[in-house]
Amino acid sequence: MAAQQSFAYQHAPEARAGYEAWREERWEEVAGPNGKAKVVANGTVTDQDLHTIAGIPGTWSTSATGALTVTASAGDGVRVGGETVDGTAEVAPGSTLEFPGGRVGFAAGGDGSYGLVVMDHQAVERSGLAGIDTFPYDPAWVFDGEYREAPEGRRIEVERLTSPRSTEAIRAPVDLVVTVNGTEHVLAVLEDMPGQRLVVFTDETNADTTPEIGRWLVLPLLEPGSKLTVDFNKATLSHHHLRPSVFVCPLSPPGNHLPTRVEAGERALVYNTGITAMSQDLKDKAITYLRSLEKADWDTARAMCARTATVWHNDGKGESGIEENIAGMKEQIHTIESMRYDITRQFSQPGEVLQQHVVHVAARNGVRGEVHAAVYFRFDDEGLITRIEEYANFIPAG
């Protein structure tokens, strides 16, 4: 490309050395001891209402004094500070949280507002995630940029990768001004999380050699008018690719499109067991579908299925359409006090997922038990569920 020569470009050797160090740090961020690829659940608790977190047993709340609490039975397998919870326990700052399946968690916050993160330290190994594919390093994609002040209090309506998708007005305190290939571009900078400046952008490589949803540039916290280096070699995949059911990241704001091929930065996740990023995405979609049923979120569950999707169970009733199946679950949900899916294992190949799980069920009439199930999911080219087959067996407790 005929890129503008910049101060950063003239200092390419230093930039290249910094890039190699950044790649090591980036892999640590993804797959290290506290890597994003190991996060299997997250949530926020900001009031005294009872909150559930998808895939995690117990209900979460804050006390009258603003402390974080969890309520669970001994059978749920929740441990706080090494002690099994059987009732309601306070989660003190710095406490170790443990959940079934070797998952661990931690909570941060205070004064009635907390964030909870749950990790599975075997998740990377099980998924086969081995690295991140990138374009070759090219100093021509390193530019000088500047922060331009935005109107005070500006928020921009941006789509989020929820299922179905939603919109949110996200704080956007500055714009990034950068000249690429002789053309000045003004890109909105989001502050989706406190302390993080993020440019979500799209370009002409999307849906070709990079993801259709675009990529990120993570930028420093600086005042309007500040100069900064803009290095597209450090363009990253969004966290959504690591676990779509957990990271519901923002999409590119209107106007954040570069009408050129940005052949720099990250391209795709790499798996060493033949698992592609798409097959991992389908595994997460299968889990998201079940989490929707767990929460009686029928609209989300329905939106994840094709109009002609069919469902079969080994109950002798034959198959049904997805509308009939969801309507049947709606009619029965009033008899259920609580329901939780524990995923035991998943296998996938293009367009298909086979999963084994246990459903912990508590009925309002006092019946308790577990449903041991194997479920087959088939997906179409758009990632919608077209077929569900379930082989299930209910085992009463005790």
Side-chain angles (χ1 to χ4, degrees):
M1 63 175 288
Q4 175 190 6
Q5 294 289 315
S6 67
F7 177 83
Y9 180 83
Q10 295 166 25
H11 290 74
E14 295 93 327
R16 176 59 186 261
Y19 169 75
E20 296 298 340
W22 172 82
R23 284 204 66 186
E24 292 182 10
E25 293 169 2
R26 169 67 174 152
W27 182 243
E28 186 76 3
E29 176 195 11
V30 169
N34 294 310
K36 296 291 192 299
K38 297 180 179 180
V39 177
V40 295
N42 61 7
T44 57
V45 182
T46 59
D47 52 45
Q48 296 183 46
D49 292 339
L50 295 178
H51 298 262
T52 59
I53 297 174
I56 301 302
T59 55
W60 304 80
S61 182
T62 60
S63 67
T65 60
L68 177 64
T69 66
V70 58
T71 301
S73 65
D76 287 327
V78 178
R79 294 169 63 87
V80 177
E83 298 293 328
T84 299
V85 177
D86 190 11
T88 298
E90 183 173 311
V91 182
S95 297
T96 300
L97 295 167
E98 300 171 73
F99 303 97
R103 294 168 296 174
V104 297
F106 58 89
D111 298 325
S113 181
Y114 298 88
L116 180 68
V117 175
V118 179
M119 309 188 77
D120 179 350
H121 288 294
Q122 302 303 313
V124 173
E125 181 180 352
R126 280 201 298 269
S127 71
L129 180 64
I132 304 174
D133 183 36
T134 66
F135 288 98
Y137 178 82
D138 185 350
W141 283 106
V142 183
F143 304 98
D144 295 323
E146 181 179 350
Y147 278 157
R148 178 180 294 173
E149 188 170 12
E152 185 176 356
R154 182 181 68 169
R155 290 181 176 269
I156 298 177
E157 287 285 338
V158 178
E159 274 194 291
R160 275 200 180 277
L161 287 163
T162 52
S163 181
R165 289 187 180 178
S166 58
T167 59
E168 180 181 344
I170 298 178
R171 187 168 180 266
V174 294
D175 289 320
L176 173 67
V177 182
V178 60
T179 298
V180 178
N181 207 21
T183 301
E184 182 181 271
H185 298 277
V186 180
L187 307 174
V189 180
L190 303 179
E191 201 165 291
D192 187 33
M193 295 186 297
Q196 183 187 70
R197 292 276 173 87
L198 188 68
V199 168
V200 185
F201 73 95
T202 56
D203 67 90
E204 296 302 308
T205 66
N206 299 150
D208 176 1
T209 53
T210 62
E212 185 176 6
I213 62 174
R215 292 178 289 166
W216 291 1
L217 283 174
V218 180
L219 301 175
L221 279 172
L222 299 171
E223 294 297 318
S226 298
K227 308 290 185 182
L228 67 156
T229 298
V230 181
D231 188 350
F232 283 95
N233 292 287
K234 297 181 181 179
T236 71
L237 304 173
S238 81
H239 296 156
H240 181 75
H241 296 287
L242 298 171
R243 193 165 292 272
S245 60
V246 172
F247 297 112
V248 288
C249 302
L251 288 171
S252 174
N256 273 26
H257 179 72
L258 298 174
T260 188
R261 292 183 62 82
V262 181
E263 295 183 335
E266 296 180 350
R267 294 193 282 199
L269 300 178
V270 177
Y271 293 88
N272 63 9
T273 59
I275 301 173
T276 64
M278 180 176 291
S279 66
Q280 183 64 30
D281 182 49
L282 296 184
K283 286 182 178 181
D284 283 313
K285 284 186 176 180
I287 294 174
T288 299
Y289 176 81
L290 296 179
R291 297 301 180 219
S292 300
L293 303 185
E294 194 176 70
K295 298 183 291 184
D297 185 355
W298 313 117
D299 290 342
T300 294
R302 179 64 189 88
M304 297 186 68
C305 300
R307 181 178 57 83
T308 56
T310 55
V311 182
W312 177 90
H313 295 94
N314 64 327
D315 57 6
K317 298 180 181 179
E319 72 176 38
S320 62
I322 189 63
E323 300 286 359
E324 180 184 351
N325 184 69
I326 289 180
M329 289 188 286
K330 277 185 176 181
E331 291 177 0
Q332 297 179 36
I333 194 64
H334 71 279
T335 67
I336 304 298
E337 180 181 299
S338 66
M339 178 173 64
R340 187 183 86 250
Y341 289 81
D342 280 347
I343 313 304
T344 306
R345 56 180 59 88
Q346 288 181 305
F347 304 93
S348 69
Q349 60 183 21
E352 299 176 304
V353 173
L354 181 63
Q355 174 174 295
Q356 182 180 351
H357 61 243
V358 178
V359 191
H360 302 272
V361 180
R364 295 190 185 280
N365 63 4
V367 174
R368 301 288 188 271
E370 298 177 344
V371 178
H372 292 248
V375 183
Y376 165 80
F377 294 87
R378 186 171 66 231
F379 297 81
D380 64 16
D381 292 339
E382 300 297 321
L384 296 175
I385 298 169
T386 61
R387 177 72 172 175
I388 301 173
E389 297 176 6
E390 181 176 32
Y391 302 79
N393 182 40
F394 178 75
I395 302 176

PDB file of all heavy atoms in Angstrom, residues 152-171:
ATOM      1  N   GLU A 152     -19.329  16.735  24.977  1.00  0.00           N
ATOM      2  CA  GLU A 152     -19.355  16.263  26.358  1.00  0.00           C
ATOM      3  C   GLU A 152     -20.507  15.288  26.583  1.00  0.00           C
ATOM      4  O   GLU A 152     -21.642  15.522  26.161  1.00  0.00           O
ATOM      5  CB  GLU A 152     -19.499  17.459  27.310  1.00  0.00           C
ATOM      6  CG  GLU A 152     -19.421  17.067  28.778  1.00  0.00           C
ATOM      7  CD  GLU A 152     -19.463  18.278  29.694  1.00  0.00           C
ATOM      8  OE1 GLU A 152     -19.485  19.420  29.183  1.00  0.00           O
ATOM      9  OE2 GLU A 152     -19.466  18.082  30.931  1.00  0.00           O
ATOM     10  N   GLY A 153     -20.175  14.170  27.224  1.00  0.00           N
ATOM     11  CA  GLY A 153     -21.199  13.178  27.545  1.00  0.00           C
ATOM     12  C   GLY A 153     -21.678  12.348  26.373  1.00  0.00           C
ATOM     13  O   GLY A 153     -22.695  11.653  26.484  1.00  0.00           O
ATOM     14  N   ARG A 154     -20.957  12.393  25.251  1.00  0.00           N
ATOM     15  CA  ARG A 154     -21.435  11.683  24.064  1.00  0.00           C
ATOM     16  C   ARG A 154     -21.544  10.175  24.300  1.00  0.00           C
ATOM     17  O   ARG A 154     -20.648   9.544  24.852  1.00  0.00           O
ATOM     18  CB  ARG A 154     -20.501  11.926  22.868  1.00  0.00           C
ATOM     19  CG  ARG A 154     -20.994  11.242  21.584  1.00  0.00           C
ATOM     20  CD  ARG A 154     -20.067  11.455  20.412  1.00  0.00           C
ATOM     21  NE  ARG A 154     -18.782  10.772  20.576  1.00  0.00           N
ATOM     22  CZ  ARG A 154     -17.872  10.638  19.595  1.00  0.00           C
ATOM     23  NH1 ARG A 154     -18.115  11.166  18.409  1.00  0.00           N
ATOM     24  NH2 ARG A 154     -16.735  10.006  19.827  1.00  0.00           N
ATOM     25  N   ARG A 155     -22.648   9.605  23.856  1.00  0.00           N
ATOM     26  CA  ARG A 155     -22.838   8.163  23.795  1.00  0.00           C
ATOM     27  C   ARG A 155     -23.311   7.787  22.397  1.00  0.00           C
ATOM     28  O   ARG A 155     -24.055   8.555  21.776  1.00  0.00           O
ATOM     29  CB  ARG A 155     -23.848   7.692  24.849  1.00  0.00           C
ATOM     30  CG  ARG A 155     -23.320   7.796  26.277  1.00  0.00           C
ATOM     31  CD  ARG A 155     -24.324   7.308  27.301  1.00  0.00           C
ATOM     32  NE  ARG A 155     -23.750   7.332  28.640  1.00  0.00           N
ATOM     33  CZ  ARG A 155     -23.106   6.308  29.201  1.00  0.00           C
ATOM     34  NH1 ARG A 155     -22.987   5.169  28.526  1.00  0.00           N
ATOM     35  NH2 ARG A 155     -22.601   6.408  30.419  1.00  0.00           N
ATOM     36  N   ILE A 156     -22.878   6.638  21.933  1.00  0.00           N
ATOM     37  CA  ILE A 156     -23.222   6.189  20.590  1.00  0.00           C
ATOM     38  C   ILE A 156     -23.985   4.873  20.681  1.00  0.00           C
ATOM     39  O   ILE A 156     -23.586   3.956  21.396  1.00  0.00           O
ATOM     40  CB  ILE A 156     -21.955   5.999  19.717  1.00  0.00           C
ATOM     41  CG1 ILE A 156     -21.224   7.329  19.567  1.00  0.00           C
ATOM     42  CG2 ILE A 156     -22.298   5.425  18.353  1.00  0.00           C
ATOM     43  CD1 ILE A 156     -19.920   7.219  18.791  1.00  0.00           C
ATOM     44  N   GLU A 157     -25.106   4.791  19.956  1.00  0.00           N
ATOM     45  CA  GLU A 157     -25.881   3.553  19.903  1.00  0.00           C
ATOM     46  C   GLU A 157     -25.108   2.518  19.093  1.00  0.00           C
ATOM     47  O   GLU A 157     -24.818   2.716  17.914  1.00  0.00           O
ATOM     48  CB  GLU A 157     -27.241   3.805  19.255  1.00  0.00           C
ATOM     49  CG  GLU A 157     -28.214   4.577  20.133  1.00  0.00           C
ATOM     50  CD  GLU A 157     -28.801   3.718  21.247  1.00  0.00           C
ATOM     51  OE1 GLU A 157     -28.802   2.472  21.096  1.00  0.00           O
ATOM     52  OE2 GLU A 157     -29.244   4.282  22.263  1.00  0.00           O
ATOM     53  N   VAL A 158     -24.762   1.426  19.751  1.00  0.00           N
ATOM     54  CA  VAL A 158     -23.956   0.378  19.128  1.00  0.00           C
ATOM     55  C   VAL A 158     -24.625  -0.970  19.363  1.00  0.00           C
ATOM     56  O   VAL A 158     -25.144  -1.237  20.457  1.00  0.00           O
ATOM     57  CB  VAL A 158     -22.523   0.360  19.717  1.00  0.00           C
ATOM     58  CG1 VAL A 158     -21.699  -0.759  19.102  1.00  0.00           C
ATOM     59  CG2 VAL A 158     -21.836   1.699  19.469  1.00  0.00           C
ATOM     60  N   GLU A 159     -24.602  -1.812  18.345  1.00  0.00           N
ATOM     61  CA  GLU A 159     -25.134  -3.167  18.507  1.00  0.00           C
ATOM     62  C   GLU A 159     -24.205  -4.011  19.366  1.00  0.00           C
ATOM     63  O   GLU A 159     -22.985  -3.869  19.295  1.00  0.00           O
ATOM     64  CB  GLU A 159     -25.281  -3.853  17.146  1.00  0.00           C
ATOM     65  CG  GLU A 159     -26.576  -3.586  16.435  1.00  0.00           C
ATOM     66  CD  GLU A 159     -26.784  -4.554  15.284  1.00  0.00           C
ATOM     67  OE1 GLU A 159     -26.036  -4.446  14.292  1.00  0.00           O
ATOM     68  OE2 GLU A 159     -27.676  -5.419  15.368  1.00  0.00           O
ATOM     69  N   ARG A 160     -24.817  -4.913  20.148  1.00  0.00           N
ATOM     70  CA  ARG A 160     -24.051  -5.883  20.936  1.00  0.00           C
ATOM     71  C   ARG A 160     -24.326  -7.286  20.402  1.00  0.00           C
ATOM     72  O   ARG A 160     -25.404  -7.571  19.895  1.00  0.00           O
ATOM     73  CB  ARG A 160     -24.432  -5.823  22.411  1.00  0.00           C
ATOM     74  CG  ARG A 160     -23.680  -4.772  23.173  1.00  0.00           C
ATOM     75  CD  ARG A 160     -23.704  -5.068  24.669  1.00  0.00           C
ATOM     76  NE  ARG A 160     -22.997  -4.065  25.422  1.00  0.00           N
ATOM     77  CZ  ARG A 160     -21.687  -4.045  25.595  1.00  0.00           C
ATOM     78  NH1 ARG A 160     -20.943  -4.984  25.060  1.00  0.00           N
ATOM     79  NH2 ARG A 160     -21.114  -3.097  26.296  1.00  0.00           N
ATOM     80  N   LEU A 161     -23.328  -8.158  20.589  1.00  0.00           N
ATOM     81  CA  LEU A 161     -23.431  -9.513  20.072  1.00  0.00           C
ATOM     82  C   LEU A 161     -24.164 -10.440  21.033  1.00  0.00           C
ATOM     83  O   LEU A 161     -23.719 -11.541  21.347  1.00  0.00           O
ATOM     84  CB  LEU A 161     -22.032 -10.055  19.767  1.00  0.00           C
ATOM     85  CG  LEU A 161     -21.397  -9.437  18.519  1.00  0.00           C
ATOM     86  CD1 LEU A 161     -19.900  -9.675  18.508  1.00  0.00           C
ATOM     87  CD2 LEU A 161     -22.039 -10.002  17.267  1.00  0.00           C
ATOM     88  N   THR A 162     -25.314  -9.959  21.517  1.00  0.00           N
ATOM     89  CA  THR A 162     -26.204 -10.814  22.277  1.00  0.00           C
ATOM     90  C   THR A 162     -27.010 -11.666  21.296  1.00  0.00           C
ATOM     91  O   THR A 162     -26.943 -11.473  20.083  1.00  0.00           O
ATOM     92  CB  THR A 162     -27.152  -9.965  23.134  1.00  0.00           C
ATOM     93  OG1 THR A 162     -27.794  -8.987  22.288  1.00  0.00           O
ATOM     94  CG2 THR A 162     -26.396  -9.240  24.222  1.00  0.00           C
ATOM     95  N   SER A 163     -27.787 -12.596  21.809  1.00  0.00           N
ATOM     96  CA  SER A 163     -28.624 -13.428  20.952  1.00  0.00           C
ATOM     97  C   SER A 163     -30.052 -13.410  21.490  1.00  0.00           C
ATOM     98  O   SER A 163     -30.316 -13.992  22.538  1.00  0.00           O
ATOM     99  CB  SER A 163     -28.088 -14.866  20.922  1.00  0.00           C
ATOM    100  OG  SER A 163     -28.871 -15.679  20.069  1.00  0.00           O
ATOM    101  N   PRO A 164     -30.999 -12.704  20.803  1.00  0.00           N
ATOM    102  CA  PRO A 164     -30.794 -11.920  19.590  1.00  0.00           C
ATOM    103  C   PRO A 164     -30.010 -10.641  19.894  1.00  0.00           C
ATOM    104  O   PRO A 164     -29.858 -10.277  21.060  1.00  0.00           O
ATOM    105  CB  PRO A 164     -32.218 -11.594  19.142  1.00  0.00           C
ATOM    106  CG  PRO A 164     -33.013 -11.620  20.409  1.00  0.00           C
ATOM    107  CD  PRO A 164     -32.400 -12.669  21.268  1.00  0.00           C
ATOM    108  N   ARG A 165     -29.523  -9.993  18.859  1.00  0.00           N
ATOM    109  CA  ARG A 165     -28.704  -8.799  19.061  1.00  0.00           C
ATOM    110  C   ARG A 165     -29.497  -7.678  19.706  1.00  0.00           C
ATOM    111  O   ARG A 165     -30.702  -7.545  19.515  1.00  0.00           O
ATOM    112  CB  ARG A 165     -28.119  -8.340  17.722  1.00  0.00           C
ATOM    113  CG  ARG A 165     -27.047  -9.282  17.209  1.00  0.00           C
ATOM    114  CD  ARG A 165     -26.356  -8.742  15.978  1.00  0.00           C
ATOM    115  NE  ARG A 165     -25.323  -9.670  15.516  1.00  0.00           N
ATOM    116  CZ  ARG A 165     -24.585  -9.467  14.437  1.00  0.00           C
ATOM    117  NH1 ARG A 165     -24.738  -8.362  13.722  1.00  0.00           N
ATOM    118  NH2 ARG A 165     -23.670 -10.353  14.081  1.00  0.00           N
ATOM    119  N   SER A 166     -28.764  -6.864  20.473  1.00  0.00           N
ATOM    120  CA  SER A 166     -29.373  -5.732  21.161  1.00  0.00           C
ATOM    121  C   SER A 166     -28.539  -4.489  20.888  1.00  0.00           C
ATOM    122  O   SER A 166     -27.449  -4.572  20.313  1.00  0.00           O
ATOM    123  CB  SER A 166     -29.443  -6.007  22.668  1.00  0.00           C
ATOM    124  OG  SER A 166     -28.140  -6.259  23.182  1.00  0.00           O
ATOM    125  N   THR A 167     -29.025  -3.345  21.286  1.00  0.00           N
ATOM    126  CA  THR A 167     -28.265  -2.103  21.135  1.00  0.00           C
ATOM    127  C   THR A 167     -28.071  -1.457  22.498  1.00  0.00           C
ATOM    128  O   THR A 167     -28.862  -1.660  23.428  1.00  0.00           O
ATOM    129  CB  THR A 167     -28.968  -1.108  20.196  1.00  0.00           C
ATOM    130  OG1 THR A 167     -30.266  -0.795  20.729  1.00  0.00           O
ATOM    131  CG2 THR A 167     -29.122  -1.692  18.803  1.00  0.00           C
ATOM    132  N   GLU A 168     -27.001  -0.688  22.598  1.00  0.00           N
ATOM    133  CA  GLU A 168     -26.694  -0.003  23.860  1.00  0.00           C
ATOM    134  C   GLU A 168     -26.002   1.314  23.537  1.00  0.00           C
ATOM    135  O   GLU A 168     -25.191   1.392  22.603  1.00  0.00           O
ATOM    136  CB  GLU A 168     -25.780  -0.871  24.719  1.00  0.00           C
ATOM    137  CG  GLU A 168     -25.416  -0.244  26.058  1.00  0.00           C
ATOM    138  CD  GLU A 168     -24.491  -1.127  26.877  1.00  0.00           C
ATOM    139  OE1 GLU A 168     -24.372  -2.331  26.564  1.00  0.00           O
ATOM    140  OE2 GLU A 168     -23.865  -0.605  27.822  1.00  0.00           O
ATOM    141  N   ALA A 169     -26.325   2.340  24.294  1.00  0.00           N
ATOM    142  CA  ALA A 169     -25.656   3.632  24.142  1.00  0.00           C
ATOM    143  C   ALA A 169     -24.367   3.590  24.962  1.00  0.00           C
ATOM    144  O   ALA A 169     -24.391   3.661  26.185  1.00  0.00           O
ATOM    145  CB  ALA A 169     -26.560   4.759  24.614  1.00  0.00           C
ATOM    146  N   ILE A 170     -23.230   3.479  24.273  1.00  0.00           N
ATOM    147  CA  ILE A 170     -21.929   3.321  24.928  1.00  0.00           C
ATOM    148  C   ILE A 170     -21.179   4.653  24.915  1.00  0.00           C
ATOM    149  O   ILE A 170     -21.184   5.383  23.917  1.00  0.00           O
ATOM    150  CB  ILE A 170     -21.093   2.240  24.213  1.00  0.00           C
ATOM    151  CG1 ILE A 170     -21.821   0.890  24.291  1.00  0.00           C
ATOM    152  CG2 ILE A 170     -19.703   2.126  24.829  1.00  0.00           C
ATOM    153  CD1 ILE A 170     -21.107  -0.232  23.587  1.00  0.00           C
ATOM    154  N   ARG A 171     -20.536   4.946  26.014  1.00  0.00           N
ATOM    155  CA  ARG A 171     -19.768   6.192  26.145  1.00  0.00           C
ATOM    156  C   ARG A 171     -18.668   6.240  25.086  1.00  0.00           C
ATOM    157  O   ARG A 171     -17.954   5.262  24.864  1.00  0.00           O
ATOM    158  CB  ARG A 171     -19.167   6.287  27.538  1.00  0.00           C
ATOM    159  CG  ARG A 171     -18.486   7.599  27.845  1.00  0.00           C
ATOM    160  CD  ARG A 171     -18.168   7.719  29.333  1.00  0.00           C
ATOM    161  NE  ARG A 171     -17.526   8.981  29.623  1.00  0.00           N
ATOM    162  CZ  ARG A 171     -16.205   9.161  29.670  1.00  0.00           C
ATOM    163  NH1 ARG A 171     -15.395   8.132  29.489  1.00  0.00           N
ATOM    164  NH2 ARG A 171     -15.694  10.348  29.947  1.00  0.00           N
TER     165      ARG A 171
END
